[in-house]
Amino acid sequence: MDTIEPVAYDPTAVEAKWQRTWAERGTNQVDIAGAVRPFYSLMMFPYPSAEGLHVGNLFAFTGSDISARYHRLLGYNVFQPLGYDAFGIHSENYALKIGAHPMELTPKNVGNFQRQLERAGLMVDWRYKLDTSQRDYYRWTQWVFLQLHKQGLAYKKAAAVNWCPSCKTVLANEQVEGGACERCGTIVEQRFLEQWFFRIGDYAERLLRNLDTLDWSEVTKSAQRNWIGRSEGAELTFRIAERDEAVSVFTTRPDTIFGATYLVLAPEHPLVDSITTDAYRDGVRAYQEQTVKQDLVSRKSVAQKTGVFTGALAVNPATGNNVPVWIADYVLMEYGTGAIMAVPGHDERDFEFAHTLATTFEQHCKLGIDAVIKRVVAGDGHDADSTLDEAYVANTNSDRLVNSAQFDGMSVGDAKQAVIAWLASNEHAKPVVNYRLHDWCVSRQRYWGPPIPIVYCDACGTVPVPEDQLPVELPFIPDFKPDDSGVSPLARHAEWYNVACPSCGGEARRETDVSDTFLDSAWYFLRYPSARRDDVAFDRETTSRWLPVNSYIGGNEHAVLHLLYSRFVTMALHDGGHVPFEEPFTRFRAHGLIIRDGAKMSKTKGNVINPDEYVTEWGADSFRLYLMFLGPYQDGGDFRSQGISGVRRFLDRLWGSVRDARREGDADPDVLRKLHQVIRKVGEDLAVLAYNTAIAAMMEYMNVLRRAERVAHIDEVQPLVQLVAPFAPHLAEECWAELGHSASIFDSGWPVWDAALAEETTVEIAVQVNGKTRGRVLVAPDATQDEVVAAAMGEPSIAKFVTGEPKRIIFVKGRLLNLIV
RNA sequence: GCGCUCGUGGCGAAAUUGGUAGACGCGCAAGCCUUAGGAGCUUGUAGGGCAACCUGUCCCGGUUCGAGUCCGGGCGAGCGCACCA
């Protein structure tokens, strides 16, 4: 008997052969200028670490590659480029660690990555490879900086910034995790330095609003919404008693104004000096110094609240009462107005502060705790006079105001508006929206990045480097190690930074900071299609043809860094008239993480898998298939090397059935039916990145072929080879050639499923009695209720549960029959 | 604390969106083939019961002829944000 035997094929030979053939034939090359149906498939480019490619990279790339190959088979001209995010602190730190120079080390790492990636069988057009550390790339990164500068979106200011004492550089807020450097884990300090910033804050509202229009993973969108942190509220003005000064506070709860019993300013608030009374001046000064020195972690940690009284009193515009003005470290200068009205009755932090400093309130402000903590909202089952053991944070429409004069009885929601309107008549209030998103600090006091293209001239001031003088080349300097001075190592090289002013020709000095790595990656997708052009950053026509990106796949760890910066830069370039769209990525999907033994793979945990050994032992195709079969692509999965044998067995069986397939007689209609169902299923799954179930469906079909216990007909296997092609491209090509085709399978088109052929001749109907499944009957797909009932009652195992006439019958055609007795 | 995503066999997971729970694969068990096999093939594999059957998708309620799926409440996990007023 001729059954389908698996035939172990030799992946090493097959994969080498096809990679060679693809290169010779230019199979993966796309006609950028002439594409009729362009489809831009983008994957997040890797940072070329010295350890080389790891499984997580390959998991991400494979998922994108499958989607790209599928679209190619559907007839699109697919452009799938890949490159290297080679600049940046991670590369530089590693070079420092092993005593190498990044300018020498990086090309080596890139070379190693390239070798590994080429083995993976990705459909990448390598002619468009880019490397952010090469001058023909960073030249245009500097150009992007200049465009933003031209538009007034880049500015320099002295600011409290996050300083990593280990990396010896400033970090963006997004690069600080829990008060520590995301790169090395060192506790971040606060420093005051002159820094370049981008006005991403000005774009907060657009960045937030546009999210609703994007087809992105929900996790990513919600992370961005969170990070942008919009909150609606009001700025309320409190006059300082007996002085011609006023303090603005930001609050989201203007309805609680009657409960505002003191004010708190950030210690560095500009008004502190002038309102502080002489008696309290020393205490205030001491407290300010202490806070400013403090690093940002303890400043923002949940330690016990501290603060001092300034001696000043402000007038609550609602009650007319005098309220004491304090400074405290729990109020942050960078948010809102840097000042708050404290409502201890209805805000946990204010409550805690009032309690912690109750004695001081008594001593200096002559205020007892009961006078400080006032209830102005009721509804938690307590009335207007009940005491508060903790802050009552009302937030519903059912809660009502109390102790609030004419607003008593009004709902919290209504009162928010009403109070603003009332105070606004005396210019004490205006509605305001605040965002947590702060401007993006792009300066880095490091070496391994693009020098910021700015020159300082005594006569002309800050002068942008003219575009025709780009790039400002990063010089090779042996002493690239950062120091504690707060300036870049480039600042030690007068021969480099001393330069003639581009404007007046006089003596001038280059900016010695380099830009953040995230600027490199915030526009790389614009560069790819134009990567072979050396006269423009990105060609106008090419860009409008290929962008926005049709499919972007990457890790969600970049949800608020890279993805937000990319959106901002694109929006800014749009406003500058450089690109015709605001949003760079039409569709983004976050892939899951590959974990091992319940932990994310990382070098420090020692659970990193090197894909090389698996590719060598099992073949790239098996490894790709295995990674995609672990679980839902967007969930990731736990890497256990055992499972790979199953997918390899599947490929062996496929190869065996293709090799033995004949064209004799007719294909089996039962097999063809299943085949067309699978074609449909795989297509649907590929469209939504459901790779695991697509593979399962193909395996199921393979089992059908095997159970037929005969050599397969060519028509039964040939479409399966096409379905497998996106997943296992090398073997699919080999099978395709074995089936007698000379052109690439990727130009063969995607099989079309035929609804008539896919239709079942009989269906199994579940028969329930009183909702419990009691059996199943085989009937024609269009069988009527009466026919199915008759069939069901013919089954003794079902009929025995039915006594008398059913009271009710629920019938779902082709699916289910439920008899209620 | 806030936001998001989840909770199904020994394990990774399916389930046409309210309609046969556990597809597919791993692992395991028995058998075949073999000098041998971490090879291949066949069969079985949610739990309980000799059986007819009973129980079963984190827990408690609800809606429904019917709930893994929908609603309310609770418990738990992962990720993100967090003294942001």
Side-chain angles (χ1 to χ4, degrees):
Chain A
M1 185 171 53
D2 290 330
T3 58
I4 291 173
E5 290 291 325
V7 180
Y9 75 105
D10 176 8
T12 310
V14 168
E15 289 170 9
K17 168 185 167 189
W18 286 101
Q19 283 165 18
R20 202 171 52 240
T21 310
W22 290 333
E24 285 164 8
R25 291 179 179 169
T27 307
N28 297 343
Q29 295 183 3
V30 65
D31 179 2
I32 287 287
V36 180
R37 297 179 69 197
F39 187 93
Y40 189 171
S41 172
L42 182 66
M43 45 185 135
M44 285 185 182
F45 64 167
Y47 136 65
S49 70
E51 298 92 57
L53 195 69
H54 64 85
V55 173
N57 294 129
L58 214 48
F59 177 78
F61 298 155
T62 302
S64 181
D65 190 55
I66 290 170
S67 168
R69 289 183 183 274
Y70 171 59
H71 282 91
R72 162 95 173 246
L73 282 159
L74 285 177
Y76 290 96
N77 304 105
V78 176
F79 177 46
Q80 181 167 247
L82 194 52
Y84 299 98
D85 192 14
F87 257 150
I89 290 175
H90 29 31
S91 300
E92 190 181 318
N93 283 353
Y94 188 77
L96 281 168
K97 193 169 138 196
I98 65 164
H101 194 283
M103 213 171 259
E104 288 157 354
L105 186 63
T106 302
K108 271 188 220 161
N109 292 346
V110 165
N112 187 40
F113 255 71
Q114 186 70 29
R115 178 189 61 75
Q116 289 187 295
L117 282 171
E118 282 173 11
R119 288 187 74 190
L122 302 173
M123 192 179 73
V124 165
D125 190 343
W126 288 111
R127 295 174 304 163
Y128 293 84
K129 176 170 68 180
L130 54 79
D131 174 338
T132 57
S133 69
Q134 297 296 305
R135 67 193 296 281
D136 62 1
Y137 183 85
Y138 72 73
R139 167 186 183 183
W140 302 113
T141 305
Q142 292 170 337
W143 178 87
V144 169
F145 182 97
L146 290 177
Q147 304 317 306
L148 268 63
H149 186 262
K150 203 184 290 178
Q151 291 168 232
L153 295 174
Y155 67 99
K156 203 173 189 189
K157 72 167 181 197
V161 290
N162 308 296
W163 173 265
C164 172
S166 169
C167 296
K168 300 193 190 303
T169 187
V170 164
L171 302 173
N173 289 338
E174 289 84 338
Q175 290 159 337
V176 181
E177 286 175 358
C181 172
E182 66 157 9
R183 190 86 47 217
C184 65
T186 310
I187 299 299
V188 169
E189 295 172 356
Q190 197 179 175
R191 275 204 179 188
F192 283 90
L193 291 174
E194 284 266 320
Q195 305 284 339
W196 281 98
F197 287 85
F198 285 157
R199 295 189 195 280
I200 190 171
D202 288 2
Y203 283 70
E205 187 61 36
R206 266 163 89 190
L207 288 168
L208 184 67
R209 220 175 9 201
N210 276 9
L211 281 176
D212 295 336
T213 70
L214 296 179
D215 177 14
W216 282 26
S217 298
E218 188 52 41
V219 275
T220 312
K221 291 211 261 188
S222 95
Q224 292 213 350
R225 285 191 191 104
N226 243 309
W227 188 263
I228 294 169
R230 181 184 204 273
S231 54
E232 253 176 71
E235 259 179 46
L236 307 180
T237 308
F238 286 64
R239 304 182 40 72
I240 303 295
E242 294 161 32
R243 296 188 70 109
D244 191 20
E245 278 177 301
V247 178
S248 275
V249 303
F250 174 70
T251 179
T252 53
R253 295 291 306 280
D255 55 294
T256 61
I257 179 80
F258 286 85
T261 50
Y262 60 101
L263 298 189
V264 188
L265 309 194
E268 58 272 64
H269 194 287
L271 277 177
V272 172
D273 271 350
S274 62
I275 64 169
T276 300
T277 60
D278 291 341
Y280 291 91
R281 195 165 302 281
D282 290 349
V284 165
R285 289 257 166 89
Y287 187 78
Q288 282 178 316
E289 271 171 42
Q290 176 200 322
T291 328
V292 167
K293 256 188 286 174
Q294 209 175 21
D295 63 87
L296 293 167
V297 202
S298 36
R299 171 77 187 266
K300 292 192 176 183
S301 71
V302 219
Q304 202 176 47
K305 291 188 171 38
T306 59
V308 294
F309 181 44
T310 61
L313 297 173
V315 183
N316 182 319
T319 63
N321 293 340
N322 281 353
V323 298
V325 181
W326 291 68
I327 60 172
D329 58 0
Y330 80 98
V331 174
L332 308 171
M333 193 59 222
E334 74 242 32
Y335 186 74
T337 61
I340 61 158
M341 65 175 203
V343 185
H346 304 285
D347 182 282
E348 288 166 12
R349 296 151 304 186
D350 299 341
F351 184 92
E352 188 197 329
F353 183 81
H355 261 282
T356 310
L357 295 157
T359 342
T360 327
F361 268 93
E362 292 259 10
Q363 264 175 9
H364 298 287
C365 315
K366 309 279 182 291
L367 279 172
I369 193 79
D370 292 341
V372 175
I373 300 176
K374 236 178 105 180
R375 174 186 284 277
V376 292
V377 177
D380 49 345
H382 300 279
D383 60 25
D385 303 320
S386 64
T387 50
L388 288 149
D389 307 329
E390 56 181 1
Y392 174 58
V393 184
N395 233 335
T396 64
N397 290 327
S398 60
D399 288 342
R400 305 276 155 186
L401 296 212
V402 293
N403 301 324
S404 299
Q406 70 268 39
F407 300 100
D408 280 357
M410 198 178 270
S411 77
V412 165
D414 293 343
K416 283 184 182 182
Q417 317 297 326
V419 167
I420 295 172
W422 175 58
L423 291 174
S425 60
N426 293 314
E427 295 182 7
H428 282 301
K430 61 175 178 191
V432 161
V433 175
N434 262 311
Y435 303 91
R436 293 215 301 252
L437 182 66
H438 299 308
D439 280 349
W440 173 14
C441 176
V442 294
S443 301
R444 295 293 180 274
Q445 292 69 44
R446 295 290 293 231
Y447 168 69
W448 194 231
I452 291 175
I454 292 288
V455 168
Y456 303 105
C457 168
D458 287 339
C460 312
T462 301
V463 183
V465 173
E467 289 175 21
D468 59 10
Q469 291 175 27
L470 296 179
V472 176
E473 206 156 338
L474 180 70
F476 179 93
I477 58 168
D479 55 330
F480 66 92
K481 192 176 174 185
D483 61 28
D484 218 18
S485 59
V487 291
S488 157
L490 292 171
R492 298 193 288 257
H493 289 263
E495 77 285 359
W496 181 76
Y497 66 69
N498 281 331
V499 67
C501 170
S503 179
C504 70
E507 277 183 27
R509 201 188 138 90
R510 289 193 189 282
E511 167 65 65
T512 54
D513 283 355
V514 300
S515 57
D516 184 5
T517 318
F518 279 101
L519 181 57
D520 302 330
S521 55
W523 75 281
Y524 77 117
F525 44 90
L526 289 166
R527 180 62 184 164
Y528 275 132
S530 302
R532 303 173 83 192
R533 294 282 296 263
D534 60 4
D535 56 334
V536 284
F538 42 90
D539 174 66
R540 197 168 278 269
E541 203 232 304
T542 305
T543 302
S544 59
R545 178 189 294 258
W546 285 95
L547 281 101
V549 169
N550 300 86
S551 165
Y552 194 22
I553 289 177
N556 208 41
E557 67 271 22
H558 292 113
V560 291
L561 295 158
H562 162 64
L563 285 170
L564 196 62
Y565 293 151
S566 297
R567 295 182 59 217
F568 161 67
V569 167
T570 304
M571 240 175 236
L573 290 172
H574 169 262
D575 292 351
H578 301 287
V579 296
F581 45 85
E582 298 203 329
E583 290 290 342
F585 315 123
T586 309
R587 176 170 121 135
F588 171 76
R589 290 291 179 274
H591 64 249
L593 290 178
I594 294 295
I595 56 174
R596 185 153 182 242
D597 308 325
K600 188 180 168 178
M601 278 191 202
S602 74
K603 194 132 191 267
T604 47
K605 293 201 183 76
N607 61 353
V608 174
I609 302 284
N610 181 346
D612 273 348
E613 45 188 281
Y614 285 91
V615 170
T616 302
E617 186 177 351
W618 299 93
D621 284 338
S622 292
F623 197 58
R624 285 166 61 105
L625 211 56
Y626 166 66
L627 288 176
M628 295 302 106
F629 193 54
L630 275 178
Y633 183 61
Q634 294 176 67
D635 291 356
D638 205 344
F639 186 93
R640 291 152 303 110
S641 51
Q642 295 168 331
I644 196 167
S645 57
V647 292
R648 175 59 197 268
R649 203 155 20 231
F650 166 69
L651 291 182
D652 283 339
R653 284 168 178 163
L654 174 68
W655 172 240
S657 68
V658 166
R659 205 193 55 174
D660 297 341
R662 313 265 157 79
R663 185 173 291 287
E664 285 164 13
D666 292 327
D668 179 344
D670 287 337
V671 172
L672 285 185
R673 180 179 318 115
K674 186 71 189 167
L675 173 65
H676 281 264
Q677 291 169 358
V678 170
I679 293 171
R680 176 186 175 182
K681 168 81 175 153
V682 172
E684 287 170 352
D685 284 354
L686 279 171
V688 295
L689 275 50
Y691 301 141
N692 56 331
T693 49
I695 294 167
M698 291 187 286
M699 286 174 163
E700 216 175 318
Y701 179 64
M702 192 69 238
N703 289 339
V704 169
L705 287 179
R706 288 167 60 216
R707 293 203 177 106
E709 297 200 333
R710 56 172 174 76
V711 165
H713 190 280
I714 283 181
D715 291 346
E716 294 168 353
V717 294
Q718 181 158 296
L720 175 63
V721 174
Q722 291 170 298
L723 299 186
V724 170
F727 299 87
H730 310 88
L731 181 64
E733 285 279 27
E734 184 72 11
C735 290
W736 198 243
E738 178 72 19
L739 290 167
H741 303 279
S742 54
S744 170
I745 189 171
F746 293 101
D747 294 320
S748 70
W750 187 250
V752 177
W753 71 279
D754 183 325
L757 288 177
E759 197 181 351
E760 294 286 357
T761 50
T762 60
V763 291
E764 211 175 48
I765 301 239
V767 181
Q768 301 181 335
V769 180
N770 289 336
K772 270 191 197 296
T773 304
R774 294 300 184 182
R776 45 211 63 171
V777 291
L778 281 175
V779 297
D782 57 353
T784 63
Q785 177 175 317
D786 291 345
E787 289 166 342
V788 177
V789 171
M793 296 311 286
E795 296 284 335
S797 59
I798 297 170
K800 71 178 177 184
F801 290 99
V802 184
T803 50
E805 273 302 293
K807 285 198 282 251
R808 195 178 153 193
I809 297 172
I810 289 110
F811 177 64
V812 182
K813 192 175 154 193
R815 236 187 260 297
L816 168 135
L817 177 73
N818 190 3
L819 303 168
I820 311 302
V821 297

